[in-house]
Amino acid sequence: MSNRRSFLRITMVGAAGVLVAGCDRISQTLWGPIVLSKAEGLNRRVQALLSPSSSMAKEYAEADISPVFHPNGTTMPTTPAYQTLMADNFRGYKLQVDGLVTRPAMLSIDDLKHLDLRTQITRHDCVEGWSAIGKWQGTLLSAVLDYVGVDPRARFVMFHCFDDMEEDTPYYESIDLAEARHPQTLLAFALNDQPLPVPNGAPLRVRIGRQLGYKQAKYLARIELVSSFEDIGDGQGGYWEDQGYEWYAGI
Ligand SMILES: Nc1nc2c(c(=O)[nH]1)N[C@H]1C(S)=C(S)[C@@H](COP(=O)(O)O)O[C@H]1N2
Ligand SMILES: [Mo]
């Protein structure tokens, strides 16, 4: 027992490192990625000890909703593809779903509204040290996966976004299939009963109940089912992961 306690204490230090490292380009420090890489693996094992993968993120009451949901990272994608869609209030938007699927699809927000929906009030935790509680409405990612049919070789869901972080370097993220099928993993099109605002990821973003802010990809252009993410970006599974953040960002 005492062994396990000191194990947990070490991990708390690791988690504090994650908290102060920040996910802002300006706040990148040399030691940030080092602390993160040390915390990796350890965090994951502790997460597995403390919360079985079936566990649910805490859900809050309407009264707990933050008056302002602070936007972070990209707040206005400047890519031509996005600008064109935005100019027409996203009427022409379709989410591309492809990769290791049986029936690749192009889904409008209206198509997504015909699949299984969920509303959840959950807390968003950014590694920069702020949190916000919001009410999200969206389509269960599991319903989208069932709709397209997942090839048995698929292991991860990749989220490709419209915004470039550097020239020709779009934001991207990935989760494994267990997290993708979790009942609190949504493709959200509404925040606090309004269509998702542009600063928060319009017209569609992912909400993953039990993971940190940088996993919650905004401005979704495409979902790709893959067996490995080695060949995408720098091969670490996400834009921030390529800068040294850990891929498994459970909270
Ligand atoms: N496409 C995209 N998704 C993104 C980001 C981004 O810059 N681009 N930033 C991430 C980070 S670090 C955080 S904390 C949240 C912020 O979500 P919000 O703008 O709704 O607060 O989005 C995440 N998803
Ligand atoms: Mo963040």
Side-chain angles (χ1 to χ4, degrees):
M1 189 64 209
S2 74
N3 263 351
R4 180 154 164 203
R5 236 182 246 136
S6 59
F7 178 55
L8 287 178
R9 196 168 321 116
I10 292 164
T11 304
M12 302 291 275
V13 175
V18 173
L19 282 178
V20 296
C23 61
D24 185 305
R25 256 169 289 185
I26 304 156
S27 65
Q28 281 279 319
T29 61
L30 273 178
W31 56 268
I34 296 163
V35 172
L36 285 169
S37 66
K38 282 197 178 148
E40 177 141 31
L42 196 56
N43 273 354
R44 188 178 185 143
R45 287 198 296 279
V46 166
Q47 187 72 22
L49 267 180
L50 297 180
S51 58
S53 62
S54 59
S55 71
M56 301 285 279
K58 179 175 161 75
E59 296 198 20
Y60 293 79
E62 296 266 344
D64 301 319
I65 294 174
S66 304
V68 177
F69 201 102
H70 177 80
N72 198 35
T74 304
T75 52
M76 168 64 76
T78 53
T79 50
Y82 188 82
Q83 286 288 319
T84 305
L85 286 167
M86 191 180 69
D88 192 34
N89 208 13
F90 304 106
R91 267 182 284 268
Y93 173 80
K94 287 197 174 183
L95 174 73
Q96 184 177 345
V97 188
D98 62 4
L100 295 172
V101 302
T102 319
R103 297 170 295 275
M106 296 288 286
L107 302 171
S108 67
I109 299 293
D110 221 49
D111 294 333
L112 289 167
K113 286 182 177 169
H114 282 90
L115 297 175
D116 284 346
L117 304 183
R118 188 173 203 271
T119 302
Q120 63 197 25
I121 303 175
T122 50
R123 198 183 69 201
H124 173 103
D125 294 307
C126 171
V127 295
E128 286 178 352
W130 60 272
S131 301
I133 294 173
K135 179 181 184 179
W136 303 96
Q137 191 191 21
T139 305
L140 292 178
L141 180 52
S142 64
V144 176
L145 296 183
D146 291 344
Y147 182 79
V148 295
V150 175
D151 184 294
R153 288 169 298 169
R155 290 186 56 209
F156 304 102
V157 178
M158 305 291 312
F159 302 104
H160 298 284
C161 306
F162 279 109
D163 55 320
D164 276 339
M165 300 300 282
E166 294 145 38
E167 219 183 320
D168 296 324
T169 307
Y171 198 95
Y172 78 103
E173 258 303 338
S174 61
I175 53 176
D176 64 22
L177 279 180
E179 199 72 49
R181 292 197 178 279
H182 187 275
Q184 288 169 313
T185 300
L186 312 181
L187 300 183
F189 45 73
L191 169 60
N192 298 338
D193 300 313
Q194 299 297 324
L196 191 58
V198 167
N200 301 101
L204 193 69
R205 78 175 304 170
V206 68
R207 290 303 312 176
I208 306 154
R210 305 170 305 164
Q211 301 240 348
L212 287 169
Y214 63 90
K215 299 298 286 188
Q216 322 286 334
K218 308 195 277 189
Y219 314 114
L220 295 180
R222 174 179 174 218
I223 288 183
E224 183 191 10
L225 277 286
V226 297
S227 58
S228 151
F229 44 70
E230 254 166 49
D231 298 332
I232 301 167
D234 286 342
Q236 303 304 306
Y239 174 77
W240 284 113
E241 286 84 339
D242 286 342
Q243 324 297 314
Y245 281 47
E246 57 184 318
W247 179 79
Y248 186 79
I251 37 180

